[in-house]
Amino acid sequence: MSPQPLTHTPVDEDAQDLQLVEAIRGGDTQAWAKLITKHQDRVYATCVRMVHNRDLAADLAQDSFVKIIQGIGSFDGRAKFSTWMTRVVMNVCLSKLRSEKLRRHASLERMGQTTQTGDSEAARPQFEQTREPAANAGVEEHEDRERVLTALRYLDPEHRAVLILCDCRGLAYEQIADVLGVAVGTVKSRLFRARNALREAVEALAEGRPVRKSEGV
Amino acid sequence: MTQRQEPNPEKSPAPLNEAAMLDWVEERLSRIEQSKLAAASGRAGVAQRVAQMQANRRVLTNLPEEHAPPELMERVLAALEREALLELAGDDSQSGPIPISSVPVQRPSGLRWERRLPGMALAAGIALLAVGGVYWAMVLRSPAVQPGPAIPGPIAQADPRPMGLPDSTMTADSTEGATAMATATAPVADNLVGENGVSSRLAAAMSSTQRSRPVDAAEAMALAREGRLVMRVLARNTRNIGQVEELAAAKSTRPWRLTPGVPGEVLAAVLPVEPLVGPLAEGQMDRPLFASREPGKALALMSGLIGPGAAAAPLPVAFRAEDRVKATYIADVSDSDRSLDNLRRTFAERLRATVVFEALDAAPMLPATTDPDAVLWWTQGPQTWTGRVAVPVVVEQR
């Protein structure tokens, strides 16, 4: 039996979100702070995984919360509030990534060349350089994590989004479909292709080859 | 796949069931299902690839938690406040991406030329003061103190008729004399050139064909401004001339002042040259009938009048008018018709005279005024700071 993915927000948690939403709609300014406090880590983490830059992730998280609070009147309650909020966050991140796609590819190519030469230090993602390895993580695990995160940056934003929503956030396919605004079948197909692309990128980085766009399995 | 298989044109592998493969990657298939799926894929190394995907998935699943920076809350609230202010200002911020940070652009108010108005006003004021100063300097420096043209004034023949002389009808006896005189005009004129200015200027006046003409009061002021006006006072009795001088000398608000004397060239310009025609009338011998003031020259000129044949001798062109001139002044008058009229009326009333204005063709050279009040004009009251003109005044007894 495959473990059930972390897909569902506890009922009480969703109920709390709805109460905060109602309070915000009623003009309770303190509810804003509660809402931000409750979800800021999750929002920030999503942004970090998407852009691999903490400073940029903080800006995107700020923008996301502003959009969430300003657009909270448009939340109709058909989906969970967390799902709706994640949609806003992903839209902000995807918009940013699309706008910087060309520039990011140029920098990644340079990182790929340096990786070929064996300069692992330069190939590290920016944010990884500022973080220390987890206390219990082995060196090998640390290297694997670095390689995966580096490879993740070579993926298209859509592939990156599905992987983060599925693997990092633990959302179900239906929730991912709601967030991205696509069908569930599209989510599955895109997710498999994203995994395959990530695999190829990790393999290329391990072998010192230039990372190419994902091809068929 | 590490080893790519060349596509077999006879037996191409079936397309992967991506959903099933996804289930395999996410460990939702049993081992049997996995084996069937691997065999159905027709590709070698599928299992290894799936294993790699699974490993990557575990890495992503086990990433450490990320904590938001502590200032994120404040940043969000500050951004919300900015958006609220923008909305109050009418900015539709929701139509576009929310900027991370925005600073309202403060534009300078008003048009560019409005900001320069104070400087322009100051410059205009300074320019106005400068122009005004130049204007008043030019106006107050009346033509009387400025050197005029060096040429002598023309002969003023206001009255073509010789004054005090019989009619200039030529008699038969005087015809020859007149002819001789006419032909001798030039040599006589040359002989009159002497040291004193009067003689030379008289010669110039004799040779000049310019004439003055009477003018009315309306034209008089304009001529005065040009320095071409002269006032002739024709009085039967000039003994009251002292009263006029006293009036002029009194410290008052009278708009004119008198400086005694005018140069000889002025007299030559304003008084008619009266050629003697015919014999001298009786009683005229004792008069200075010649222009020269020097006794020697006068005697030489008189020689033709003495002795036999005196009538045939060329007679000098007599400048007779000097004997009837009783007083001459340079009147420093305020530049206004009223002031000029006041000057005229004063002479007319005090001397019971006929005052006429005459125009000269050219402005004579007049001496600078010696009146301290005129020189130190700025020490007087502002009511006196007006333009002034110089008008020669010739008081004649008729």
mmCIF file with all atom_site columns, all heavy atoms in Angstrom, chain A residues 2 37 41 49 59 62 70 173 189 193 195 199, chain B residues 1 18 26-28 64 68 73 75 83 100:
data_model
loop_
_atom_site.group_PDB
_atom_site.id
_atom_site.type_symbol
_atom_site.label_atom_id
_atom_site.label_alt_id
_atom_site.label_comp_id
_atom_site.label_asym_id
_atom_site.label_entity_id
_atom_site.label_seq_id
_atom_site.pdbx_PDB_ins_code
_atom_site.Cartn_x
_atom_site.Cartn_y
_atom_site.Cartn_z
_atom_site.occupancy
_atom_site.B_iso_or_equiv
_atom_site.pdbx_formal_charge
_atom_site.auth_seq_id
_atom_site.auth_comp_id
_atom_site.auth_asym_id
_atom_site.auth_atom_id
_atom_site.pdbx_PDB_model_num
ATOM 1   N N   . SER A 1 2   ? 0.590  2.021  -0.914  1.00 0.00 ? 2   SER A N   1
ATOM 2   C CA  . SER A 1 2   ? 1.363  3.250  -0.998  1.00 0.00 ? 2   SER A CA  1
ATOM 3   C C   . SER A 1 2   ? 0.810  4.205  0.048   1.00 0.00 ? 2   SER A C   1
ATOM 4   O O   . SER A 1 2   ? -0.392 4.248  0.319   1.00 0.00 ? 2   SER A O   1
ATOM 5   C CB  . SER A 1 2   ? 1.235  3.839  -2.399  1.00 0.00 ? 2   SER A CB  1
ATOM 6   O OG  . SER A 1 2   ? -0.116 4.093  -2.701  1.00 0.00 ? 2   SER A OG  1
ATOM 7   N N   . THR A 1 37  ? 0.014  35.042 10.027  1.00 0.00 ? 37  THR A N   1
ATOM 8   C CA  . THR A 1 37  ? 0.828  34.254 10.963  1.00 0.00 ? 37  THR A CA  1
ATOM 9   C C   . THR A 1 37  ? 0.631  32.756 10.733  1.00 0.00 ? 37  THR A C   1
ATOM 10  O O   . THR A 1 37  ? 1.568  31.964 10.793  1.00 0.00 ? 37  THR A O   1
ATOM 11  C CB  . THR A 1 37  ? 0.477  34.617 12.410  1.00 0.00 ? 37  THR A CB  1
ATOM 12  O OG1 . THR A 1 37  ? 0.672  36.011 12.603  1.00 0.00 ? 37  THR A OG1 1
ATOM 13  C CG2 . THR A 1 37  ? 1.336  33.837 13.390  1.00 0.00 ? 37  THR A CG2 1
ATOM 14  N N   . ASP A 1 41  ? 4.582  30.641 6.830   1.00 0.00 ? 41  ASP A N   1
ATOM 15  C CA  . ASP A 1 41  ? 5.659  29.693 6.575   1.00 0.00 ? 41  ASP A CA  1
ATOM 16  C C   . ASP A 1 41  ? 5.390  28.864 5.334   1.00 0.00 ? 41  ASP A C   1
ATOM 17  O O   . ASP A 1 41  ? 6.286  28.627 4.523   1.00 0.00 ? 41  ASP A O   1
ATOM 18  C CB  . ASP A 1 41  ? 5.853  28.784 7.789   1.00 0.00 ? 41  ASP A CB  1
ATOM 19  C CG  . ASP A 1 41  ? 6.436  29.518 8.986   1.00 0.00 ? 41  ASP A CG  1
ATOM 20  O OD1 . ASP A 1 41  ? 7.020  30.610 8.768   1.00 0.00 ? 41  ASP A OD1 1
ATOM 21  O OD2 . ASP A 1 41  ? 6.307  29.021 10.120  1.00 0.00 ? 41  ASP A OD2 1
ATOM 22  N N   . ARG A 1 49  ? 10.781 27.279 -2.827  1.00 0.00 ? 49  ARG A N   1
ATOM 23  C CA  . ARG A 1 49  ? 10.963 26.124 -3.728  1.00 0.00 ? 49  ARG A CA  1
ATOM 24  C C   . ARG A 1 49  ? 10.794 26.524 -5.174  1.00 0.00 ? 49  ARG A C   1
ATOM 25  O O   . ARG A 1 49  ? 11.428 25.938 -6.059  1.00 0.00 ? 49  ARG A O   1
ATOM 26  C CB  . ARG A 1 49  ? 9.952  25.018 -3.383  1.00 0.00 ? 49  ARG A CB  1
ATOM 27  C CG  . ARG A 1 49  ? 10.047 24.507 -1.964  1.00 0.00 ? 49  ARG A CG  1
ATOM 28  C CD  . ARG A 1 49  ? 11.416 24.014 -1.625  1.00 0.00 ? 49  ARG A CD  1
ATOM 29  N NE  . ARG A 1 49  ? 11.550 23.653 -0.219  1.00 0.00 ? 49  ARG A NE  1
ATOM 30  C CZ  . ARG A 1 49  ? 12.697 23.718 0.461   1.00 0.00 ? 49  ARG A CZ  1
ATOM 31  N NH1 . ARG A 1 49  ? 13.801 24.114 -0.139  1.00 0.00 ? 49  ARG A NH1 1
ATOM 32  N NH2 . ARG A 1 49  ? 12.735 23.368 1.728   1.00 0.00 ? 49  ARG A NH2 1
ATOM 33  N N   . ASP A 1 59  ? 9.730  38.631 -1.140  1.00 0.00 ? 59  ASP A N   1
ATOM 34  C CA  . ASP A 1 59  ? 8.951  39.611 -1.914  1.00 0.00 ? 59  ASP A CA  1
ATOM 35  C C   . ASP A 1 59  ? 7.709  38.976 -2.507  1.00 0.00 ? 59  ASP A C   1
ATOM 36  O O   . ASP A 1 59  ? 6.611  39.554 -2.474  1.00 0.00 ? 59  ASP A O   1
ATOM 37  C CB  . ASP A 1 59  ? 9.816  40.208 -3.015  1.00 0.00 ? 59  ASP A CB  1
ATOM 38  C CG  . ASP A 1 59  ? 10.954 41.053 -2.465  1.00 0.00 ? 59  ASP A CG  1
ATOM 39  O OD1 . ASP A 1 59  ? 10.856 41.478 -1.289  1.00 0.00 ? 59  ASP A OD1 1
ATOM 40  O OD2 . ASP A 1 59  ? 11.942 41.262 -3.191  1.00 0.00 ? 59  ASP A OD2 1
ATOM 41  N N   . GLN A 1 62  ? 5.178  38.380 0.153   1.00 0.00 ? 62  GLN A N   1
ATOM 42  C CA  . GLN A 1 62  ? 4.503  39.641 0.496   1.00 0.00 ? 62  GLN A CA  1
ATOM 43  C C   . GLN A 1 62  ? 3.428  39.960 -0.523  1.00 0.00 ? 62  GLN A C   1
ATOM 44  O O   . GLN A 1 62  ? 2.286  40.284 -0.162  1.00 0.00 ? 62  GLN A O   1
ATOM 45  C CB  . GLN A 1 62  ? 5.530  40.769 0.557   1.00 0.00 ? 62  GLN A CB  1
ATOM 46  C CG  . GLN A 1 62  ? 4.914  42.149 0.712   1.00 0.00 ? 62  GLN A CG  1
ATOM 47  C CD  . GLN A 1 62  ? 5.956  43.243 0.521   1.00 0.00 ? 62  GLN A CD  1
ATOM 48  O OE1 . GLN A 1 62  ? 7.094  43.115 0.959   1.00 0.00 ? 62  GLN A OE1 1
ATOM 49  N NE2 . GLN A 1 62  ? 5.567  44.317 -0.131  1.00 0.00 ? 62  GLN A NE2 1
ATOM 50  N N   . GLN A 1 70  ? -6.504 41.333 -0.403  1.00 0.00 ? 70  GLN A N   1
ATOM 51  C CA  . GLN A 1 70  ? -7.298 42.228 -1.233  1.00 0.00 ? 70  GLN A CA  1
ATOM 52  C C   . GLN A 1 70  ? -8.361 41.480 -2.019  1.00 0.00 ? 70  GLN A C   1
ATOM 53  O O   . GLN A 1 70  ? -9.432 42.015 -2.286  1.00 0.00 ? 70  GLN A O   1
ATOM 54  C CB  . GLN A 1 70  ? -6.391 42.987 -2.202  1.00 0.00 ? 70  GLN A CB  1
ATOM 55  C CG  . GLN A 1 70  ? -5.538 44.043 -1.539  1.00 0.00 ? 70  GLN A CG  1
ATOM 56  C CD  . GLN A 1 70  ? -4.719 44.832 -2.536  1.00 0.00 ? 70  GLN A CD  1
ATOM 57  O OE1 . GLN A 1 70  ? -4.472 44.370 -3.652  1.00 0.00 ? 70  GLN A OE1 1
ATOM 58  N NE2 . GLN A 1 70  ? -4.291 46.010 -2.140  1.00 0.00 ? 70  GLN A NE2 1
ATOM 59  N N   . TYR A 1 173 ? -4.105 15.262 -6.210  1.00 0.00 ? 173 TYR A N   1
ATOM 60  C CA  . TYR A 1 173 ? -4.202 15.635 -7.622  1.00 0.00 ? 173 TYR A CA  1
ATOM 61  C C   . TYR A 1 173 ? -5.343 16.629 -7.867  1.00 0.00 ? 173 TYR A C   1
ATOM 62  O O   . TYR A 1 173 ? -5.246 17.547 -8.675  1.00 0.00 ? 173 TYR A O   1
ATOM 63  C CB  . TYR A 1 173 ? -4.396 14.404 -8.477  1.00 0.00 ? 173 TYR A CB  1
ATOM 64  C CG  . TYR A 1 173 ? -3.242 13.438 -8.418  1.00 0.00 ? 173 TYR A CG  1
ATOM 65  C CD1 . TYR A 1 173 ? -3.440 12.074 -8.642  1.00 0.00 ? 173 TYR A CD1 1
ATOM 66  C CD2 . TYR A 1 173 ? -1.941 13.860 -8.129  1.00 0.00 ? 173 TYR A CD2 1
ATOM 67  C CE1 . TYR A 1 173 ? -2.397 11.169 -8.612  1.00 0.00 ? 173 TYR A CE1 1
ATOM 68  C CE2 . TYR A 1 173 ? -0.889 12.954 -8.063  1.00 0.00 ? 173 TYR A CE2 1
ATOM 69  C CZ  . TYR A 1 173 ? -1.110 11.617 -8.308  1.00 0.00 ? 173 TYR A CZ  1
ATOM 70  O OH  . TYR A 1 173 ? -0.063 10.723 -8.260  1.00 0.00 ? 173 TYR A OH  1
ATOM 71  N N   . SER A 1 189 ? -0.420 13.646 -16.017 1.00 0.00 ? 189 SER A N   1
ATOM 72  C CA  . SER A 1 189 ? 0.502  13.610 -17.150 1.00 0.00 ? 189 SER A CA  1
ATOM 73  C C   . SER A 1 189 ? 1.652  14.592 -16.947 1.00 0.00 ? 189 SER A C   1
ATOM 74  O O   . SER A 1 189 ? 2.821  14.251 -17.172 1.00 0.00 ? 189 SER A O   1
ATOM 75  C CB  . SER A 1 189 ? -0.253 13.925 -18.444 1.00 0.00 ? 189 SER A CB  1
ATOM 76  O OG  . SER A 1 189 ? 0.647  14.058 -19.534 1.00 0.00 ? 189 SER A OG  1
ATOM 77  N N   . ARG A 1 193 ? 5.731  13.678 -16.399 1.00 0.00 ? 193 ARG A N   1
ATOM 78  C CA  . ARG A 1 193 ? 6.747  14.285 -17.259 1.00 0.00 ? 193 ARG A CA  1
ATOM 79  C C   . ARG A 1 193 ? 7.699  15.175 -16.449 1.00 0.00 ? 193 ARG A C   1
ATOM 80  O O   . ARG A 1 193 ? 8.894  15.238 -16.760 1.00 0.00 ? 193 ARG A O   1
ATOM 81  C CB  . ARG A 1 193 ? 6.090  15.090 -18.362 1.00 0.00 ? 193 ARG A CB  1
ATOM 82  C CG  . ARG A 1 193 ? 5.282  14.217 -19.309 1.00 0.00 ? 193 ARG A CG  1
ATOM 83  C CD  . ARG A 1 193 ? 4.609  15.044 -20.386 1.00 0.00 ? 193 ARG A CD  1
ATOM 84  N NE  . ARG A 1 193 ? 3.791  14.175 -21.254 1.00 0.00 ? 193 ARG A NE  1
ATOM 85  C CZ  . ARG A 1 193 ? 3.100  14.615 -22.290 1.00 0.00 ? 193 ARG A CZ  1
ATOM 86  N NH1 . ARG A 1 193 ? 3.134  15.901 -22.598 1.00 0.00 ? 193 ARG A NH1 1
ATOM 87  N NH2 . ARG A 1 193 ? 2.387  13.748 -22.997 1.00 0.00 ? 193 ARG A NH2 1
ATOM 88  N N   . ARG A 1 195 ? 8.572  14.584 -13.369 1.00 0.00 ? 195 ARG A N   1
ATOM 89  C CA  . ARG A 1 195 ? 9.464  13.660 -12.665 1.00 0.00 ? 195 ARG A CA  1
ATOM 90  C C   . ARG A 1 195 ? 10.533 13.118 -13.619 1.00 0.00 ? 195 ARG A C   1
ATOM 91  O O   . ARG A 1 195 ? 11.692 12.960 -13.257 1.00 0.00 ? 195 ARG A O   1
ATOM 92  C CB  . ARG A 1 195 ? 8.675  12.500 -12.062 1.00 0.00 ? 195 ARG A CB  1
ATOM 93  C CG  . ARG A 1 195 ? 7.699  12.919 -10.998 1.00 0.00 ? 195 ARG A CG  1
ATOM 94  C CD  . ARG A 1 195 ? 7.128  11.691 -10.294 1.00 0.00 ? 195 ARG A CD  1
ATOM 95  N NE  . ARG A 1 195 ? 6.048  12.038 -9.390  1.00 0.00 ? 195 ARG A NE  1
ATOM 96  C CZ  . ARG A 1 195 ? 6.218  12.603 -8.196  1.00 0.00 ? 195 ARG A CZ  1
ATOM 97  N NH1 . ARG A 1 195 ? 7.452  12.894 -7.764  1.00 0.00 ? 195 ARG A NH1 1
ATOM 98  N NH2 . ARG A 1 195 ? 5.175  12.874 -7.454  1.00 0.00 ? 195 ARG A NH2 1
ATOM 99  N N   . ARG A 1 199 ? 14.458 13.766 -13.314 1.00 0.00 ? 199 ARG A N   1
ATOM 100 C CA  . ARG A 1 199 ? 15.401 12.636 -13.323 1.00 0.00 ? 199 ARG A CA  1
ATOM 101 C C   . ARG A 1 199 ? 16.518 12.865 -14.304 1.00 0.00 ? 199 ARG A C   1
ATOM 102 O O   . ARG A 1 199 ? 17.698 12.625 -14.020 1.00 0.00 ? 199 ARG A O   1
ATOM 103 C CB  . ARG A 1 199 ? 14.649 11.355 -13.631 1.00 0.00 ? 199 ARG A CB  1
ATOM 104 C CG  . ARG A 1 199 ? 15.530 10.107 -13.647 1.00 0.00 ? 199 ARG A CG  1
ATOM 105 C CD  . ARG A 1 199 ? 14.768 8.957  -14.282 1.00 0.00 ? 199 ARG A CD  1
ATOM 106 N NE  . ARG A 1 199 ? 14.379 9.205  -15.665 1.00 0.00 ? 199 ARG A NE  1
ATOM 107 C CZ  . ARG A 1 199 ? 15.191 9.114  -16.711 1.00 0.00 ? 199 ARG A CZ  1
ATOM 108 N NH1 . ARG A 1 199 ? 16.475 8.762  -16.537 1.00 0.00 ? 199 ARG A NH1 1
ATOM 109 N NH2 . ARG A 1 199 ? 14.739 9.371  -17.927 1.00 0.00 ? 199 ARG A NH2 1
ATOM 110 N N   . MET B 2 1   ? 16.772 7.017  -19.025 1.00 0.00 ? 1   MET B N   1
ATOM 111 C CA  . MET B 2 1   ? 17.467 5.844  -19.536 1.00 0.00 ? 1   MET B CA  1
ATOM 112 C C   . MET B 2 1   ? 18.889 6.206  -19.860 1.00 0.00 ? 1   MET B C   1
ATOM 113 O O   . MET B 2 1   ? 19.164 7.194  -20.513 1.00 0.00 ? 1   MET B O   1
ATOM 114 C CB  . MET B 2 1   ? 16.805 5.347  -20.818 1.00 0.00 ? 1   MET B CB  1
ATOM 115 C CG  . MET B 2 1   ? 15.397 4.848  -20.616 1.00 0.00 ? 1   MET B CG  1
ATOM 116 S SD  . MET B 2 1   ? 14.752 4.245  -22.184 1.00 0.00 ? 1   MET B SD  1
ATOM 117 C CE  . MET B 2 1   ? 13.135 3.725  -21.652 1.00 0.00 ? 1   MET B CE  1
ATOM 118 N N   . GLU B 2 18  ? 1.190  6.890  -18.729 1.00 0.00 ? 18  GLU B N   1
ATOM 119 C CA  . GLU B 2 18  ? 1.781  7.847  -17.808 1.00 0.00 ? 18  GLU B CA  1
ATOM 120 C C   . GLU B 2 18  ? 1.093  7.787  -16.448 1.00 0.00 ? 18  GLU B C   1
ATOM 121 O O   . GLU B 2 18  ? 1.735  7.904  -15.407 1.00 0.00 ? 18  GLU B O   1
ATOM 122 C CB  . GLU B 2 18  ? 1.701  9.254  -18.403 1.00 0.00 ? 18  GLU B CB  1
ATOM 123 C CG  . GLU B 2 18  ? 2.598  9.431  -19.627 1.00 0.00 ? 18  GLU B CG  1
ATOM 124 C CD  . GLU B 2 18  ? 2.518  10.833 -20.184 1.00 0.00 ? 18  GLU B CD  1
ATOM 125 O OE1 . GLU B 2 18  ? 1.542  11.549 -19.863 1.00 0.00 ? 18  GLU B OE1 1
ATOM 126 O OE2 . GLU B 2 18  ? 3.422  11.229 -20.954 1.00 0.00 ? 18  GLU B OE2 1
ATOM 127 N N   . GLU B 2 26  ? 4.917  6.696  -7.514  1.00 0.00 ? 26  GLU B N   1
ATOM 128 C CA  . GLU B 2 26  ? 4.436  7.114  -6.199  1.00 0.00 ? 26  GLU B CA  1
ATOM 129 C C   . GLU B 2 26  ? 4.064  5.916  -5.338  1.00 0.00 ? 26  GLU B C   1
ATOM 130 O O   . GLU B 2 26  ? 3.349  6.038  -4.343  1.00 0.00 ? 26  GLU B O   1
ATOM 131 C CB  . GLU B 2 26  ? 3.258  8.066  -6.387  1.00 0.00 ? 26  GLU B CB  1
ATOM 132 C CG  . GLU B 2 26  ? 3.674  9.372  -7.064  1.00 0.00 ? 26  GLU B CG  1
ATOM 133 C CD  . GLU B 2 26  ? 2.562  10.380 -7.194  1.00 0.00 ? 26  GLU B CD  1
ATOM 134 O OE1 . GLU B 2 26  ? 1.413  10.074 -6.813  1.00 0.00 ? 26  GLU B OE1 1
ATOM 135 O OE2 . GLU B 2 26  ? 2.831  11.483 -7.686  1.00 0.00 ? 26  GLU B OE2 1
ATOM 136 N N   . GLU B 2 27  ? 4.547  4.762  -5.813  1.00 0.00 ? 27  GLU B N   1
ATOM 137 C CA  . GLU B 2 27  ? 4.470  3.546  -4.989  1.00 0.00 ? 27  GLU B CA  1
ATOM 138 C C   . GLU B 2 27  ? 3.039  3.172  -4.661  1.00 0.00 ? 27  GLU B C   1
ATOM 139 O O   . GLU B 2 27  ? 2.706  2.774  -3.518  1.00 0.00 ? 27  GLU B O   1
ATOM 140 C CB  . GLU B 2 27  ? 5.299  3.747  -3.711  1.00 0.00 ? 27  GLU B CB  1
ATOM 141 C CG  . GLU B 2 27  ? 6.754  4.043  -3.973  1.00 0.00 ? 27  GLU B CG  1
ATOM 142 C CD  . GLU B 2 27  ? 7.527  4.296  -2.685  1.00 0.00 ? 27  GLU B CD  1
ATOM 143 O OE1 . GLU B 2 27  ? 6.971  4.090  -1.586  1.00 0.00 ? 27  GLU B OE1 1
ATOM 144 O OE2 . GLU B 2 27  ? 8.698  4.704  -2.781  1.00 0.00 ? 27  GLU B OE2 1
ATOM 145 N N   . ARG B 2 28  ? 2.227  3.235  -5.643  1.00 0.00 ? 28  ARG B N   1
ATOM 146 C CA  . ARG B 2 28  ? 0.843  2.813  -5.456  1.00 0.00 ? 28  ARG B CA  1
ATOM 147 C C   . ARG B 2 28  ? 0.568  1.504  -6.193  1.00 0.00 ? 28  ARG B C   1
ATOM 148 O O   . ARG B 2 28  ? -0.574 1.043  -6.262  1.00 0.00 ? 28  ARG B O   1
ATOM 149 C CB  . ARG B 2 28  ? -0.090 3.889  -5.992  1.00 0.00 ? 28  ARG B CB  1
ATOM 150 C CG  . ARG B 2 28  ? -0.166 5.107  -5.071  1.00 0.00 ? 28  ARG B CG  1
ATOM 151 C CD  . ARG B 2 28  ? -1.359 5.971  -5.425  1.00 0.00 ? 28  ARG B CD  1
ATOM 152 N NE  . ARG B 2 28  ? -1.114 6.666  -6.672  1.00 0.00 ? 28  ARG B NE  1
ATOM 153 C CZ  . ARG B 2 28  ? -0.519 7.869  -6.766  1.00 0.00 ? 28  ARG B CZ  1
ATOM 154 N NH1 . ARG B 2 28  ? -0.119 8.485  -5.679  1.00 0.00 ? 28  ARG B NH1 1
ATOM 155 N NH2 . ARG B 2 28  ? -0.347 8.419  -7.946  1.00 0.00 ? 28  ARG B NH2 1
ATOM 156 N N   . PRO B 2 64  ? 13.785 20.269 4.281   1.00 0.00 ? 64  PRO B N   1
ATOM 157 C CA  . PRO B 2 64  ? 13.518 20.905 5.584   1.00 0.00 ? 64  PRO B CA  1
ATOM 158 C C   . PRO B 2 64  ? 12.516 22.046 5.420   1.00 0.00 ? 64  PRO B C   1
ATOM 159 O O   . PRO B 2 64  ? 12.353 22.638 4.362   1.00 0.00 ? 64  PRO B O   1
ATOM 160 C CB  . PRO B 2 64  ? 14.891 21.416 6.013   1.00 0.00 ? 64  PRO B CB  1
ATOM 161 C CG  . PRO B 2 64  ? 15.680 21.532 4.756   1.00 0.00 ? 64  PRO B CG  1
ATOM 162 C CD  . PRO B 2 64  ? 15.161 20.475 3.823   1.00 0.00 ? 64  PRO B CD  1
ATOM 163 N N   . ALA B 2 68  ? 9.279  31.657 7.376   1.00 0.00 ? 68  ALA B N   1
ATOM 164 C CA  . ALA B 2 68  ? 9.182  33.015 6.804   1.00 0.00 ? 68  ALA B CA  1
ATOM 165 C C   . ALA B 2 68  ? 9.994  33.986 7.650   1.00 0.00 ? 68  ALA B C   1
ATOM 166 O O   . ALA B 2 68  ? 10.134 33.810 8.861   1.00 0.00 ? 68  ALA B O   1
ATOM 167 C CB  . ALA B 2 68  ? 7.719  33.459 6.765   1.00 0.00 ? 68  ALA B CB  1
ATOM 168 N N   . MET B 2 73  ? 5.366  39.908 8.110   1.00 0.00 ? 73  MET B N   1
ATOM 169 C CA  . MET B 2 73  ? 4.081  40.444 8.555   1.00 0.00 ? 73  MET B CA  1
ATOM 170 C C   . MET B 2 73  ? 4.054  41.966 8.380   1.00 0.00 ? 73  MET B C   1
ATOM 171 O O   . MET B 2 73  ? 3.098  42.517 7.808   1.00 0.00 ? 73  MET B O   1
ATOM 172 C CB  . MET B 2 73  ? 3.855  40.089 10.014  1.00 0.00 ? 73  MET B CB  1
ATOM 173 C CG  . MET B 2 73  ? 2.643  40.757 10.649  1.00 0.00 ? 73  MET B CG  1
ATOM 174 S SD  . MET B 2 73  ? 1.144  39.827 10.460  1.00 0.00 ? 73  MET B SD  1
ATOM 175 C CE  . MET B 2 73  ? 1.500  38.398 11.481  1.00 0.00 ? 73  MET B CE  1
ATOM 176 N N   . ARG B 2 75  ? 5.871  43.820 6.503   1.00 0.00 ? 75  ARG B N   1
ATOM 177 C CA  . ARG B 2 75  ? 5.934  44.178 5.083   1.00 0.00 ? 75  ARG B CA  1
ATOM 178 C C   . ARG B 2 75  ? 4.575  44.049 4.432   1.00 0.00 ? 75  ARG B C   1
ATOM 179 O O   . ARG B 2 75  ? 4.168  44.890 3.614   1.00 0.00 ? 75  ARG B O   1
ATOM 180 C CB  . ARG B 2 75  ? 6.952  43.305 4.370   1.00 0.00 ? 75  ARG B CB  1
ATOM 181 C CG  . ARG B 2 75  ? 8.384  43.550 4.800   1.00 0.00 ? 75  ARG B CG  1
ATOM 182 C CD  . ARG B 2 75  ? 9.352  42.589 4.137   1.00 0.00 ? 75  ARG B CD  1
ATOM 183 N NE  . ARG B 2 75  ? 9.288  42.653 2.683   1.00 0.00 ? 75  ARG B NE  1
ATOM 184 C CZ  . ARG B 2 75  ? 10.084 41.968 1.880   1.00 0.00 ? 75  ARG B CZ  1
ATOM 185 N NH1 . ARG B 2 75  ? 11.017 41.169 2.388   1.00 0.00 ? 75  ARG B NH1 1
ATOM 186 N NH2 . ARG B 2 75  ? 9.968  42.064 0.577   1.00 0.00 ? 75  ARG B NH2 1
ATOM 187 N N   . GLU B 2 83  ? -1.490 50.232 -0.563  1.00 0.00 ? 83  GLU B N   1
ATOM 188 C CA  . GLU B 2 83  ? -2.553 49.977 -1.518  1.00 0.00 ? 83  GLU B CA  1
ATOM 189 C C   . GLU B 2 83  ? -3.808 50.727 -1.135  1.00 0.00 ? 83  GLU B C   1
ATOM 190 O O   . GLU B 2 83  ? -4.546 51.224 -1.999  1.00 0.00 ? 83  GLU B O   1
ATOM 191 C CB  . GLU B 2 83  ? -2.835 48.477 -1.587  1.00 0.00 ? 83  GLU B CB  1
ATOM 192 C CG  . GLU B 2 83  ? -1.665 47.666 -2.164  1.00 0.00 ? 83  GLU B CG  1
ATOM 193 C CD  . GLU B 2 83  ? -1.331 48.083 -3.577  1.00 0.00 ? 83  GLU B CD  1
ATOM 194 O OE1 . GLU B 2 83  ? -2.255 48.427 -4.335  1.00 0.00 ? 83  GLU B OE1 1
ATOM 195 O OE2 . GLU B 2 83  ? -0.139 48.078 -3.922  1.00 0.00 ? 83  GLU B OE2 1
ATOM 196 N N   . ILE B 2 100 ? 6.151  45.533 -5.310  1.00 0.00 ? 100 ILE B N   1
ATOM 197 C CA  . ILE B 2 100 ? 6.698  45.157 -4.023  1.00 0.00 ? 100 ILE B CA  1
ATOM 198 C C   . ILE B 2 100 ? 6.881  46.392 -3.162  1.00 0.00 ? 100 ILE B C   1
ATOM 199 O O   . ILE B 2 100 ? 6.595  46.409 -1.985  1.00 0.00 ? 100 ILE B O   1
ATOM 200 C CB  . ILE B 2 100 ? 8.040  44.416 -4.218  1.00 0.00 ? 100 ILE B CB  1
ATOM 201 C CG1 . ILE B 2 100 ? 7.780  43.083 -4.920  1.00 0.00 ? 100 ILE B CG1 1
ATOM 202 C CG2 . ILE B 2 100 ? 8.728  44.196 -2.869  1.00 0.00 ? 100 ILE B CG2 1
ATOM 203 C CD1 . ILE B 2 100 ? 9.035  42.341 -5.279  1.00 0.00 ? 100 ILE B CD1 1
#
